Amino acid sequence: MPQETGASCDAILKTQVAIVGAGPAGLLLGHLLRAEGIDCVVIERQTPQHVQSRIRAGVLERITVSLMERLGLDARLKAEGLIEEGFNFGDGERTIRIDVAGLTGKTVVVYGQTEITRDLMDAAPARGLQVIYGVENVALHDIAGDAPSVAFDKDGAAHRIEARFVVGCDGFHGPCRKAIPASAVREYERVYPFGWLGILADVPPCNHELVYANAPQGFALASMRSRTRSRYYIDVPLTEQLEDWPDDRLWDELALRLGPQLAQTMVRGPALEKSIAPLRSYVFEPMRYGSLLLCGDAAHIVPPTGAKGLNLAASDVHYAATALTGFFKHNDADAVGSYSAKALARVWKCERFSWSLTKLLHRFPEDGPFERAMQVAELDYIAGSTAAQTSIAENFVGLPV
Ligand code: RFL
Ligand code: PHB
């Protein structure tokens, strides 16, 4: 366990790995390191209740499921997760089914990010994973060398963690990535001119599989969290406010965009949660600088089309845990050295898939009849080509790690 020593004004915590951020990436990494007997401490800006309440991802690839299995934290996931063998594209009239299981022999699981986070949070005390919530003013020091530290305030007192490595799992807006000198990095970014307006409701899903629709009125996604809880999205211009979308207006728009068949099976209900998420593609290179490694949204963002964000965070964590285990248990310094290249190779492929599905399924303000015709032609091609469907299915189900 980490050692705490008192100094005059600082409480200094010594550990092997300091993890910033207790979202899915930080918690998963903390558990994987503890399972290998590696000391670590996780610090988180928010309260546990806040972290737990963020409604985000819902579709888990094999890598995410397998990490929960490896940790022995998959009991609820196994009992409550819905195994999905396929998903569908729609254009408001027809449906094109991608038979993911038939084409790849693999499936995805519908199980909310809130549930994964809860399973990881609940298991932390018993597994000796220390998570300090409600920290402020996090600042990284000496990351270029081999004795980095993380300073933070908690309840008005100054603290410092001294570690051999710091891992930034602090999401897109966190401080870790920003601690790397600009001269050492390269950023790639595409900001989309729309966001996804999502609604969560305790109503049965309109279809047992996901449906991504590109209708004349715009994009819609019918998803779910369970057989009794649905998650739907439409795309809206970034200028729209939540107040512009009372529940009834949103259900009417979903019915239009999903088309008459799904509108018939769609059950309406009061929103448990409603939010607008902006869409962005972003990659930060490299994902390691000195003793700082970045995992998950701290290093990259994908638009949610294709459901890759949480799963990419999980594959980064897998590579990072393997590298740090190599370093601490097998004296293998090269493992950490190759972390960034390994993680980025998978990141870029997932960026490509999320971007291409986003382009296929959304109207861009600059699009004219030609771009629309290209989308229709691509959907036609997918409908008639097993090769195209296989390519989509193998990306959707998750590329090898
Ligand atoms: P997170 O979840 O943002 O966690 C980062 C944590 O760091 C904390 N933090 C700090 N802690 C200490 N000090 C600071 N200064 C800090 N600053 C920040 C934050 O409070 C937070 O707890 O990043 P992580 O762990 O990398 O996980 C990434 C995923 O959350 C994200 O990629 C997914 O939610 C994306 N995503 C989806 N991914 C999927 O794989 N499948 C999906 O179906 C899916 N659907 C979605 C999504 C994201 C969405 N939104 C809201 C963008 C649907 C939506 C609508
Ligand atoms: C979700 O259920 O929240 C979800 C599903 C698929 C996506 C994005 C989000 O592509």
Side-chain angles (χ1 to χ4, degrees), residues 23-83:
L27 290 173
L28 259 179
L29 180 64
H31 274 288
L32 288 167
L33 295 179
R34 289 302 304 130
E36 293 291 343
I38 297 168
D39 274 349
C40 57
V41 179
V42 185
I43 57 171
E44 166 61 47
R45 187 164 63 106
Q46 304 288 357
T47 62
Q49 296 72 25
H50 182 100
V51 171
Q52 173 67 75
S53 68
R54 291 185 301 225
I55 309 291
R56 289 184 173 177
V59 180
L60 308 184
E61 293 175 10
R62 183 75 215 138
I63 176 63
T64 313
V65 174
S66 73
L67 291 179
M68 295 299 282
E69 277 170 5
R70 200 203 296 176
L71 291 168
L73 297 178
D74 60 330
R76 226 158 54 85
L77 194 163
K78 284 267 145 59
E80 296 171 23
L82 303 178
I83 294 176

Coordinates of all heavy atoms in Angstrom, one line a residue, residues 23-83:
G23 N -12.4 8.1 -13.9 CA -13.4 7.6 -14.8 C -13.1 6.2 -15.1 O -12.2 5.5 -14.4
P24 N -13.7 5.6 -16.2 CA -13.4 4.2 -16.5 C -11.9 3.9 -16.7 O -11.4 2.8 -16.2 CB -14.2 3.9 -17.7 CG -14.8 5.2 -18.1 CD -14.7 6.2 -17.0
A25 N -11.2 4.8 -17.4 CA -9.8 4.5 -17.7 C -9.0 4.4 -16.4 O -8.2 3.4 -16.1 CB -9.2 5.5 -18.6
G26 N -9.1 5.4 -15.5 CA -8.3 5.5 -14.3 C -8.7 4.3 -13.3 O -7.7 3.7 -12.8
L27 N -9.9 4.0 -13.2 CA -10.3 2.9 -12.3 C -9.9 1.6 -12.8 O -9.4 0.7 -12.1 CB -11.8 2.9 -12.1 CG -12.4 4.1 -11.2 CD1 -13.9 4.1 -11.2 CD2 -11.8 4.1 -9.8
L28 N -10.1 1.4 -14.1 CA -9.6 0.1 -14.7 C -8.1 -0.1 -14.5 O -7.7 -1.2 -14.1 CB -9.9 0.1 -16.2 CG -11.1 -0.7 -16.7 CD1 -11.2 -0.5 -18.2 CD2 -11.1 -2.2 -16.4
L29 N -7.4 0.9 -14.8 CA -5.9 0.8 -14.7 C -5.5 0.6 -13.3 O -4.7 -0.3 -13.0 CB -5.2 2.1 -15.2 CG -3.7 2.1 -15.1 CD1 -3.1 1.0 -16.1 CD2 -3.1 3.5 -15.5
G30 N -6.1 1.3 -12.3 CA -5.8 1.1 -10.9 C -6.0 -0.3 -10.5 O -5.2 -1.0 -9.9
H31 N -7.2 -0.9 -10.9 CA -7.5 -2.3 -10.5 C -6.5 -3.3 -11.2 O -6.0 -4.2 -10.5 CB -8.9 -2.7 -11.0 CG -9.9 -2.3 -10.0 ND1 -10.1 -3.0 -8.8 CD2 -10.9 -1.3 -10.0 CE1 -11.1 -2.4 -8.1 NE2 -11.6 -1.4 -8.8
L32 N -6.1 -3.0 -12.5 CA -5.2 -3.9 -13.1 C -3.8 -3.9 -12.5 O -3.2 -4.9 -12.3 CB -5.1 -3.6 -14.6 CG -6.3 -3.9 -15.5 CD1 -6.2 -3.3 -16.8 CD2 -6.5 -5.5 -15.6
L33 N -3.4 -2.7 -12.1 CA -2.1 -2.6 -11.4 C -2.1 -3.3 -10.0 O -1.2 -4.0 -9.7 CB -1.6 -1.1 -11.3 CG -1.4 -0.4 -12.6 CD1 -1.0 1.0 -12.4 CD2 -0.3 -1.1 -13.5
R34 N -3.2 -3.0 -9.3 CA -3.3 -3.6 -7.9 C -3.3 -5.2 -8.1 O -2.7 -5.9 -7.3 CB -4.6 -3.2 -7.2 CG -4.6 -1.7 -6.7 CD -3.4 -1.4 -5.8 NE -3.4 -2.3 -4.6 CZ -2.3 -2.9 -4.2 NH1 -1.2 -2.8 -4.8 NH2 -2.4 -3.7 -3.1
A35 N -4.0 -5.7 -9.1 CA -4.0 -7.1 -9.3 C -2.6 -7.7 -9.6 O -2.4 -8.9 -9.3 CB -4.9 -7.5 -10.5
E36 N -1.7 -6.9 -10.1 CA -0.3 -7.3 -10.3 C 0.6 -7.0 -9.1 O 1.8 -7.1 -9.1 CB 0.3 -6.6 -11.5 CG -0.4 -7.0 -12.8 CD -0.1 -8.5 -13.2 OE1 0.9 -9.0 -12.6 OE2 -0.8 -9.0 -14.0
G37 N 0.0 -6.4 -8.0 CA 0.8 -6.1 -6.8 C 1.5 -4.8 -6.9 O 2.5 -4.6 -6.2
I38 N 1.1 -4.0 -7.9 CA 1.8 -2.7 -8.1 C 1.1 -1.6 -7.3 O -0.1 -1.5 -7.4 CB 1.9 -2.3 -9.6 CG1 2.7 -3.4 -10.3 CG2 2.5 -0.9 -9.8 CD1 2.7 -3.4 -11.9
D39 N 1.8 -0.8 -6.6 CA 1.2 0.3 -5.8 C 0.7 1.4 -6.7 O 1.5 1.8 -7.6 CB 2.2 0.9 -4.8 CG 2.3 0.1 -3.5 OD1 1.4 -0.8 -3.3 OD2 3.2 0.3 -2.7
C40 N -0.5 1.9 -6.4 CA -0.9 3.1 -7.1 C -1.9 3.8 -6.3 O -2.5 3.3 -5.4 CB -1.5 2.7 -8.5 SG -2.8 1.5 -8.4
V41 N -2.1 5.1 -6.6 CA -3.1 5.9 -6.0 C -3.9 6.7 -7.1 O -3.2 7.1 -8.1 CB -2.5 7.0 -5.1 CG1 -3.6 7.9 -4.5 CG2 -1.7 6.4 -4.0
V42 N -5.2 6.7 -7.0 CA -6.0 7.4 -8.0 C -6.5 8.7 -7.4 O -7.0 8.7 -6.3 CB -7.2 6.6 -8.5 CG1 -7.9 7.3 -9.6 CG2 -6.7 5.2 -8.9
I43 N -6.4 9.8 -8.1 CA -7.0 11.1 -7.6 C -8.1 11.6 -8.6 O -7.9 11.4 -9.8 CB -6.0 12.2 -7.3 CG1 -5.1 12.5 -8.5 CG2 -5.1 11.8 -6.1 CD1 -4.3 13.8 -8.3
E44 N -9.2 12.1 -8.0 CA -10.3 12.5 -8.9 C -10.9 13.8 -8.4 O -11.0 14.0 -7.2 CB -11.4 11.4 -8.8 CG -12.7 11.7 -9.3 CD -12.8 12.1 -10.8 OE1 -12.2 11.4 -11.6 OE2 -13.4 13.2 -11.1
R45 N -11.2 14.7 -9.3 CA -11.6 16.0 -9.0 C -13.1 16.0 -8.5 O -13.4 16.8 -7.6 CB -11.6 16.8 -10.4 CG -11.9 18.3 -10.3 CD -11.5 18.9 -11.6 NE -12.2 18.4 -12.7 CZ -13.2 19.1 -13.4 NH1 -13.5 20.3 -13.0 NH2 -13.8 18.5 -14.4
Q46 N -13.9 15.1 -9.0 CA -15.3 15.1 -8.7 C -15.6 14.2 -7.4 O -14.7 13.5 -7.0 CB -16.1 14.6 -9.8 CG -15.9 15.3 -11.1 CD -16.6 16.7 -11.1 OE1 -17.2 17.1 -10.2 NE2 -16.4 17.4 -12.2
T47 N -16.9 14.2 -7.0 CA -17.3 13.3 -5.9 C -17.6 12.0 -6.6 O -17.9 11.9 -7.8 CB -18.6 13.8 -5.3 OG1 -19.6 13.9 -6.3 CG2 -18.4 15.2 -4.7
P48 N -17.6 10.9 -5.8 CA -18.0 9.6 -6.4 C -19.4 9.6 -7.0 O -19.7 9.0 -8.0 CB -18.0 8.6 -5.1 CG -17.3 9.3 -4.1 CD -17.3 10.8 -4.4
Q49 N -20.4 10.3 -6.4 CA -21.7 10.4 -6.9 C -21.7 11.1 -8.3 O -22.4 10.6 -9.2 CB -22.6 11.3 -6.0 CG -22.9 10.7 -4.6 CD -21.6 10.8 -3.7 OE1 -20.7 11.6 -3.9 NE2 -21.5 9.8 -2.7
H50 N -20.9 12.1 -8.4 CA -20.9 12.8 -9.7 C -20.3 11.9 -10.8 O -20.9 11.7 -11.9 CB -20.0 14.1 -9.6 CG -20.0 14.8 -10.9 ND1 -20.8 15.9 -11.1 CD2 -19.3 14.6 -12.0 CE1 -20.5 16.4 -12.4 NE2 -19.6 15.6 -12.9
V51 N -19.2 11.2 -10.5 CA -18.6 10.3 -11.5 C -19.6 9.2 -11.9 O -19.8 8.9 -13.1 CB -17.3 9.6 -10.9 CG1 -16.8 8.5 -11.8 CG2 -16.3 10.7 -10.6
Q52 N -20.3 8.7 -10.9 CA -21.3 7.6 -11.1 C -22.5 8.0 -12.0 O -23.1 7.2 -12.7 CB -21.7 7.2 -9.7 CG -22.8 6.2 -9.6 CD -22.3 4.8 -10.2 OE1 -21.6 4.1 -9.5 NE2 -22.8 4.5 -11.4
S53 N -22.8 9.3 -11.9 CA -24.0 9.8 -12.6 C -23.9 10.2 -14.0 O -24.9 10.5 -14.7 CB -24.6 10.9 -11.8 OG -23.8 12.1 -11.9
R54 N -22.6 10.2 -14.5 CA -22.5 10.7 -15.9 C -22.9 9.6 -16.9 O -22.3 8.5 -17.0 CB -21.0 11.0 -16.2 CG -20.5 12.2 -15.4 CD -19.1 12.6 -15.8 NE -18.2 11.6 -15.5 CZ -17.0 11.8 -14.9 NH1 -16.6 13.0 -14.6 NH2 -16.2 10.7 -14.7
I55 N -24.0 9.9 -17.6 CA -24.6 8.9 -18.6 C -23.7 9.1 -19.9 O -23.8 10.1 -20.5 CB -26.0 9.2 -18.9 CG1 -26.8 9.4 -17.6 CG2 -26.6 8.2 -19.9 CD1 -27.0 8.1 -16.9
R56 N -23.0 8.0 -20.2 CA -22.3 8.1 -21.5 C -22.4 6.8 -22.3 O -23.4 6.5 -22.8 CB -20.8 8.4 -21.1 CG -20.6 9.8 -20.7 CD -19.2 10.1 -20.4 NE -18.9 11.5 -20.1 CZ -17.7 11.9 -19.8 NH1 -16.7 11.0 -19.8 NH2 -17.5 13.2 -19.6
A57 N -21.3 6.0 -22.3 CA -21.3 4.9 -23.3 C -22.2 3.8 -22.9 O -22.6 3.7 -21.7 CB -19.8 4.4 -23.3
G58 N -22.5 2.9 -23.9 CA -23.4 1.8 -23.6 C -23.0 0.5 -24.3 O -23.6 -0.5 -24.0
V59 N -22.0 0.6 -25.2 CA -21.7 -0.6 -26.0 C -20.3 -1.0 -25.7 O -19.4 -0.3 -25.9 CB -21.9 -0.3 -27.5 CG1 -21.6 -1.6 -28.3 CG2 -23.4 0.1 -27.8
L60 N -20.1 -2.3 -25.2 CA -18.8 -2.7 -24.9 C -18.2 -3.7 -25.8 O -18.9 -4.7 -26.2 CB -18.8 -3.4 -23.5 CG -19.4 -2.6 -22.3 CD1 -19.3 -3.3 -21.0 CD2 -18.8 -1.2 -22.2
E61 N -17.0 -3.5 -26.3 CA -16.3 -4.5 -27.1 C -15.7 -5.5 -26.2 O -15.6 -5.4 -25.0 CB -15.1 -3.8 -27.8 CG -15.5 -2.8 -28.9 CD -14.3 -2.1 -29.4 OE1 -13.1 -2.5 -29.2 OE2 -14.4 -1.1 -30.1
R62 N -15.2 -6.6 -26.9 CA -14.5 -7.7 -26.2 C -13.4 -7.2 -25.3 O -13.3 -7.7 -24.1 CB -14.0 -8.6 -27.3 CG -13.4 -9.9 -26.8 CD -14.4 -10.9 -26.4 NE -13.8 -11.6 -25.3 CZ -14.4 -12.0 -24.2 NH1 -15.7 -11.7 -24.0 NH2 -13.8 -12.7 -23.2
I63 N -12.6 -6.3 -25.7 CA -11.5 -5.9 -24.8 C -12.0 -5.4 -23.5 O -11.4 -5.7 -22.4 CB -10.6 -4.8 -25.5 CG1 -9.4 -4.3 -24.6 CG2 -11.3 -3.6 -26.0 CD1 -8.5 -5.4 -24.2
T64 N -13.0 -4.6 -23.5 CA -13.6 -4.0 -22.3 C -14.1 -5.1 -21.4 O -13.9 -5.2 -20.2 CB -14.6 -2.9 -22.6 OG1 -14.1 -2.1 -23.6 CG2 -15.0 -2.1 -21.4
V65 N -14.9 -6.0 -22.0 CA -15.5 -7.1 -21.3 C -14.4 -8.0 -20.7 O -14.4 -8.4 -19.5 CB -16.4 -7.9 -22.2 CG1 -16.9 -9.2 -21.5 CG2 -17.6 -7.1 -22.6
S66 N -13.3 -8.2 -21.5 CA -12.3 -9.2 -21.0 C -11.5 -8.6 -19.9 O -11.0 -9.4 -19.0 CB -11.4 -9.6 -22.2 OG -10.5 -8.6 -22.5
L67 N -11.3 -7.3 -19.8 CA -10.6 -6.7 -18.7 C -11.4 -6.9 -17.4 O -10.9 -7.2 -16.4 CB -10.3 -5.2 -18.9 CG -9.2 -4.9 -20.0 CD1 -9.0 -3.4 -20.2 CD2 -7.9 -5.6 -19.7
M68 N -12.7 -6.7 -17.5 CA -13.6 -6.9 -16.3 C -13.6 -8.4 -15.9 O -13.5 -8.7 -14.7 CB -15.0 -6.4 -16.7 CG -15.2 -5.0 -16.9 SD -14.7 -3.9 -15.5 CE -16.1 -4.1 -14.4
E69 N -13.5 -9.3 -16.9 CA -13.4 -10.7 -16.6 C -12.1 -11.0 -15.9 O -12.1 -11.7 -14.9 CB -13.4 -11.5 -17.9 CG -14.8 -11.8 -18.5 CD -14.7 -12.4 -19.9 OE1 -13.6 -12.7 -20.4 OE2 -15.8 -12.5 -20.5
R70 N -11.0 -10.5 -16.4 CA -9.7 -10.7 -15.9 C -9.6 -10.3 -14.4 O -9.0 -10.9 -13.6 CB -8.6 -10.0 -16.7 CG -7.2 -10.6 -16.5 CD -6.1 -9.6 -16.8 NE -6.1 -9.2 -18.2 CZ -5.2 -8.3 -18.6 NH1 -4.3 -7.7 -17.8 NH2 -5.2 -7.9 -19.9
L71 N -10.3 -9.2 -14.1 CA -10.4 -8.7 -12.7 C -11.3 -9.4 -11.8 O -11.4 -9.2 -10.6 CB -10.7 -7.2 -12.8 CG -9.7 -6.2 -13.4 CD1 -10.3 -4.8 -13.6 CD2 -8.5 -6.1 -12.5
G72 N -12.1 -10.3 -12.5 CA -13.2 -11.0 -11.7 C -14.3 -10.0 -11.2 O -14.9 -10.2 -10.2
L73 N -14.5 -8.9 -12.0 CA -15.5 -8.0 -11.7 C -16.6 -8.0 -12.7 O -17.3 -7.0 -13.0 CB -14.9 -6.6 -11.6 CG -13.8 -6.4 -10.5 CD1 -13.3 -5.0 -10.5 CD2 -14.4 -6.7 -9.1
D74 N -16.9 -9.1 -13.3 CA -17.8 -9.2 -14.4 C -19.1 -9.9 -14.1 O -19.9 -10.2 -14.9 CB -17.2 -10.0 -15.6 CG -16.8 -11.4 -15.2 OD1 -16.5 -11.6 -14.0 OD2 -16.8 -12.3 -16.1
A75 N -19.4 -10.1 -12.8 CA -20.6 -10.9 -12.4 C -21.9 -10.1 -12.8 O -22.7 -10.7 -13.5 CB -20.6 -11.1 -10.9
R76 N -22.0 -8.8 -12.5 CA -23.2 -8.1 -12.9 C -23.2 -7.9 -14.4 O -24.3 -8.0 -15.0 CB -23.2 -6.7 -12.2 CG -24.5 -6.4 -11.6 CD -24.3 -5.4 -10.5 NE -23.6 -4.2 -10.9 CZ -24.2 -3.1 -11.5 NH1 -25.5 -3.1 -11.7 NH2 -23.5 -2.1 -11.8
L77 N -22.1 -7.7 -15.0 CA -22.0 -7.5 -16.5 C -22.5 -8.8 -17.2 O -23.3 -8.7 -18.1 CB -20.6 -7.2 -16.9 CG -20.2 -6.7 -18.3 CD1 -18.8 -6.2 -18.2 CD2 -20.3 -7.7 -19.3
K78 N -22.1 -9.9 -16.7 CA -22.6 -11.2 -17.2 C -24.1 -11.4 -17.0 O -24.8 -11.9 -17.9 CB -21.8 -12.4 -16.6 CG -20.4 -12.6 -17.0 CD -20.3 -13.6 -18.2 CE -19.3 -13.2 -19.2 NZ -17.9 -13.1 -18.7
A79 N -24.5 -11.0 -15.8 CA -26.0 -11.2 -15.5 C -26.9 -10.3 -16.2 O -28.0 -10.6 -16.6 CB -26.1 -11.1 -14.0
E80 N -26.4 -9.0 -16.3 CA -27.4 -7.9 -16.8 C -27.0 -7.4 -18.2 O -27.9 -6.8 -18.8 CB -27.3 -6.8 -15.8 CG -27.8 -7.1 -14.4 CD -27.6 -6.0 -13.4 OE1 -27.5 -4.9 -13.8 OE2 -27.6 -6.4 -12.2
G81 N -25.8 -7.7 -18.7 CA -25.4 -7.1 -20.0 C -26.2 -7.8 -21.1 O -26.6 -9.0 -21.0
L82 N -26.6 -7.1 -22.2 CA -27.3 -7.7 -23.3 C -26.3 -8.0 -24.4 O -25.6 -7.1 -24.9 CB -28.4 -6.7 -23.8 CG -29.4 -6.2 -22.8 CD1 -30.3 -5.2 -23.5 CD2 -30.2 -7.3 -22.3
I83 N -26.3 -9.2 -24.8 CA -25.4 -9.6 -25.9 C -26.0 -9.2 -27.2 O -27.2 -9.6 -27.5 CB -25.1 -11.1 -25.9 CG1 -24.3 -11.4 -24.6 CG2 -24.3 -11.6 -27.1 CD1 -24.0 -12.8 -24.3

